[in-house]
Amino acid sequence: MRRARVVAIAGVLAAVAAVPSPALGGRRHPSALLVGEVLVCNAPGHCQQQAFEVSAINRSGAVAGKTSTVGPHNSYRLRVVPGEYSLEAVAEGGLRCKGSADAVAHRTVTANITCLVP
């Protein structure tokens, strides 16, 4: 009887631990990392540097994370909750580029965004 009670209590504790934290507003922790470059190219091997703001947009259309590119390769790093995302890179001059990524828990996923310009 005591063993059954201990097993039942352990099951309840495991179920409570699986519930998203109220401190995060009921959301899961952003444990996936998206990394990549925004490539602005007019021909293969002819790419330019330009500052972008990169957004990850979840399936319901909400922005799940946002960051800016850095360095000569327009690199970005964005921590998000695991899931499927549309990626959008927007430059100050209005250039808008799109990509997508499947973010995986506790993994780094490379998701480059390519902009082909004339």
Side-chain angles (χ1 to χ4, degrees):
M1 177 74 168
R2 181 177 175 151
R3 179 171 165 75
R5 185 176 296 155
V6 169
V7 170
I9 291 172
V12 169
L13 290 175
V16 168
V19 173
S21 167
L24 292 174
R27 295 175 298 198
R28 297 181 294 160
H29 294 280
S31 66
L33 183 62
L34 299 176
V35 300
E37 298 175 350
V38 180
L39 305 169
V40 182
C41 308
N42 60 5
H46 294 101
C47 300
Q48 60 190 11
Q49 180 181 0
Q50 189 167 356
F52 284 88
E53 186 172 85
V54 178
S55 300
I57 302 159
N58 65 22
R59 295 177 94 183
S60 65
V63 175
K66 191 178 278 194
T67 190
S68 296
T69 58
V70 296
H73 298 288
N74 302 336
S75 302
Y76 76 91
R77 296 173 55 88
L78 189 57
R79 190 161 298 278
V80 294
V81 171
E84 296 177 22
Y85 293 95
S86 294
L87 300 174
E88 184 174 75
V90 179
E92 194 171 296
L95 179 60
R96 186 176 302 267
C97 311
K98 296 192 181 269
S100 63
D102 290 329
V104 180
H106 311 294
R107 299 273 189 257
T108 299
V109 174
T110 300
N112 293 330
I113 302 167
T114 302
C115 301
L116 298 178
V117 294

